[in-house]
Amino acid sequence: MNKKHFLAVDLGATSGRTILGTVADGKIEMKELTRFPNQILQIHNHFYWNIYSLYENIKGGLFAAKKEGVKISSIGIDTWGVDFALIGKDGSLMGAPYAYRDPHTFGKPEEFFNIIPREKVYDLTGIQVMNFNSLYQLFALAQAEASPLEAATEILFIPDALSYLLTGNKVVEYTIASTSQILNPRTKQFEANLMRAAGVKPSLLGEIVMPGHVIGQLTDDLAEETELGKVPVVAVAGHDTASAIAAIPAENEKFAYLSSGTWSLMGIEVKDPIINKESYDMNFTNEGGIEGTTRFLKNITGMWLLEQCLKEWKKEGITYAYEKLVEMSGTVTPFQFFIDPDHPSFANPASMVKAITEFCTSRGQKAPSTHAEFVRCIFESLAMKYNFVLGKLKDLAPFEIEKLHVIGGGSKNPLLNQWTANAIGLPVIAGPSEATAIGNIMIQAKAEGIVDSLQSMRAMIRQSISIDEYTPENNTEWVTAYEKFLSITK
């Protein structure tokens, strides 16, 4: 097979990067070209994304790709969800896009439910209610009579807006649109009634395209300036989690996944959305995947708990390498302390150490006293919470779940992966850690005709990466400890 080279632009809420992906002989290789910050701008008590800075940094990635001396077959962009840019009738951006952290959406879901009940909104969209969802952002802008919204003729979600800056062509990609709480996952179309209820014209949202759609080519000026020529830009799975899930090296559909990092996303991949009373009560969400699949998942607090503790200990002059954390945890008696990682007190406390201590003591437990005990408490509690959520997924899944695939940064945490296997009683398959970039690149490869299906994408990924498998151990002890976890966290 001739070598094919693809450029992935992977943007997170705090940083971005460009990655060169090379596909040849049934395998994929990656090379990071550039890395850059993505900072929220605070102006007059509002928070915005500096979309022009992102554009300039993407251009920097194009120049870096040119220096590699290879022909770039296509470019694809993935980002975080929900946020969008407003486009005027002359094609200009109507100001900087609002960031999801802007406080103008606080309380807006509850106000919106006075117009359309919460249960009806969930039934139409299958999306968990969060105040920063696109629906409530638009509702807030409409109520404020925001000039950019009043002047807008189109809405483009962030990856689509950046692709528009590169090509001059406008599309609305399915997976990123599915995060908005405006898309109906059954029809895969926008719900005009939700837009009208928010005080926004339904015509602002255009026709949806699926991952793999070729948006266009680099504009003439970019093609000349970067010397890359008229490279196609492909609508990959624009939502970064959708690209990551596409990179799971699964052999069949009978798996659950855990995208593990600061925050964790646990779910299953299904053909049809799951929208019922149980999914509503558990606040599960239905987001779009490639080939029309649905990512049925739940958000779980992840390594945020440990990261915040490490920050506090660093202020005390103490830092730990990961290997040391593992060694420390092994010296502690197991199952002494349990917390619910998703308890509101852990959302953004002034002191995570104090919040954990208070949670434990308020429930009749002894509190951790050493750093090693805090680490063990966090890891064991996460493993137990994963088991709890997986149990709900087993009840709702249309198939038997046989294993858990862990992707993202957490796939490199062997201790937590082993404890997760122990807690859930199923094998844990860890890797790839660079799932988002791999998924982005493989969707471009599919658009190029190198692979023809999600299954063949995953087969190539299995050939290209190393994965680790963890089998359950000490099952009886973990089952008993899980009952203790449930009784404490209720």
Side-chain angles (χ1 to χ4, degrees), residues 110 161 167 294:
E110 290 70 27
T167 66
T294 294

Side-chain angles (χ1 to χ4, degrees), residues 28 100 269 336 393:
I28 177 175
Y100 63 87
E269 186 177 70
Q336 295 185 81
L393 285 170

Side-chain angles (χ1 to χ4, degrees), residues 98-278:
Y98 275 78
Y100 63 87
R101 292 189 184 276
D102 192 281
H104 72 149
T105 58
F106 290 174
K108 293 305 175 185
E110 290 70 27
E111 292 182 35
F112 188 84
F113 299 147
N114 290 327
I115 306 171
I116 298 181
R118 182 188 186 110
E119 293 83 355
K120 180 64 174 178
V121 174
Y122 183 81
D123 182 63
L124 288 172
T125 65
I127 295 292
Q128 66 187 112
V129 174
M130 293 182 284
N131 68 284
F132 50 69
N133 288 349
S134 313
L135 176 62
Y136 312 118
Q137 290 196 44
L138 288 167
F139 184 47
L141 292 173
Q143 285 189 319
E145 299 181 344
S147 298
L149 179 62
E150 292 182 346
T153 59
E154 292 176 88
I155 293 171
L156 295 178
F157 297 98
I158 297 297
D160 303 328
L162 290 165
S163 295
Y164 166 59
L165 294 180
L166 295 184
T167 66
N169 295 338
K170 298 186 283 287
V171 301
V172 180
E173 188 274 324
Y174 169 62
T175 68
I176 197 72
S178 74
T179 68
S180 66
Q181 200 157 40
I182 305 171
L183 185 79
N184 187 320
R186 300 183 183 97
T187 65
K188 296 178 173 55
Q189 299 297 321
F190 291 113
E191 284 290 335
N193 287 340
L194 292 178
M195 293 283 283
R196 293 190 189 98
V200 180
K201 295 176 292 187
S203 60
L204 289 177
L205 287 166
E207 293 295 317
I208 293 169
V209 303
M210 291 293 171
H213 175 86
V214 179
I215 300 170
Q217 298 178 327
L218 291 180
T219 59
D220 291 341
D221 57 331
L222 276 177
E224 181 178 353
E225 183 182 2
T226 63
E227 300 181 357
L228 286 177
K230 300 290 284 185
V231 178
V233 176
V234 173
V236 295
H239 188 213
D240 48 14
T241 306
S243 277
I245 301 312
I248 292 173
E251 298 179 358
N252 58 43
E253 67 174 9
K254 296 182 178 182
F255 67 91
Y257 59 79
L258 177 66
S259 181
S260 176
T262 301
W263 305 101
S264 296
L265 300 169
M266 178 177 274
I268 54 176
E269 186 177 70
V270 291
K271 294 181 175 63
D272 300 307
I274 301 173
I275 303 175
N276 53 38
K277 185 179 185 304
E278 290 76 18

Side-chain angles (χ1 to χ4, degrees), residues 353-393:
V353 170
K354 183 178 179 182
I356 291 173
T357 298
E358 290 179 349
F359 184 97
C360 289
T361 56
S362 69
R363 283 156 179 79
Q365 302 180 88
K366 183 178 70 170
S369 58
T370 67
H371 292 180
E373 289 178 342
F374 276 98
V375 174
R376 181 131 198 166
C377 168
I378 290 168
F379 282 1
E380 287 183 343
S381 297
L382 284 173
M384 294 301 184
K385 189 60 183 269
Y386 296 156
N387 187 32
F388 176 77
V389 175
L390 185 66
K392 301 301 180 183
L393 285 170

Side-chain angles (χ1 to χ4, degrees), residues 4 6 73-74 212 214 232 234 442-451:
K4 294 282 187 177
F6 305 95
S73 295
S74 64
V214 179
V234 173
M442 288 306 303
I443 293 167
Q444 293 184 61
K446 184 173 182 286
E448 183 75 6
I450 295 174
V451 290

Side-chain angles (χ1 to χ4, degrees), residues 324-459:
K324 182 62 177 178
L325 293 174
V326 173
E327 179 186 334
M328 288 163 51
S329 298
T331 66
V332 177
T333 302
F335 312 133
Q336 295 185 81
F337 328 96
F338 286 121
I339 60 172
D340 178 359
D342 292 324
H343 191 271
S345 63
F346 303 131
N348 193 20
S351 167
M352 185 63 75
V353 170
K354 183 178 179 182
I356 291 173
T357 298
E358 290 179 349
F359 184 97
C360 289
T361 56
S362 69
R363 283 156 179 79
Q365 302 180 88
K366 183 178 70 170
S369 58
T370 67
H371 292 180
E373 289 178 342
F374 276 98
V375 174
R376 181 131 198 166
C377 168
I378 290 168
F379 282 1
E380 287 183 343
S381 297
L382 284 173
M384 294 301 184
K385 189 60 183 269
Y386 296 156
N387 187 32
F388 176 77
V389 175
L390 185 66
K392 301 301 180 183
L393 285 170
K394 288 178 179 178
D395 292 339
L396 294 167
F399 50 79
E400 181 181 357
I401 297 173
E402 297 177 343
K403 59 185 67 174
L404 176 68
H405 280 271
V406 179
I407 56 174
S411 67
K412 297 187 289 186
N413 186 330
L415 182 66
L416 182 55
N417 291 333
Q418 181 61 62
W419 288 357
T420 299
N422 297 351
I424 68 175
L426 292 174
V428 167
I429 313 299
S433 60
E434 297 285 356
T436 300
I438 291 174
N440 180 319
I441 291 163
M442 288 306 303
I443 293 167
Q444 293 184 61
K446 184 173 182 286
E448 183 75 6
I450 295 174
V451 290
D452 60 6
S453 66
L454 178 57
Q455 289 72 26
S456 56
M457 281 173 52
R458 287 174 168 163

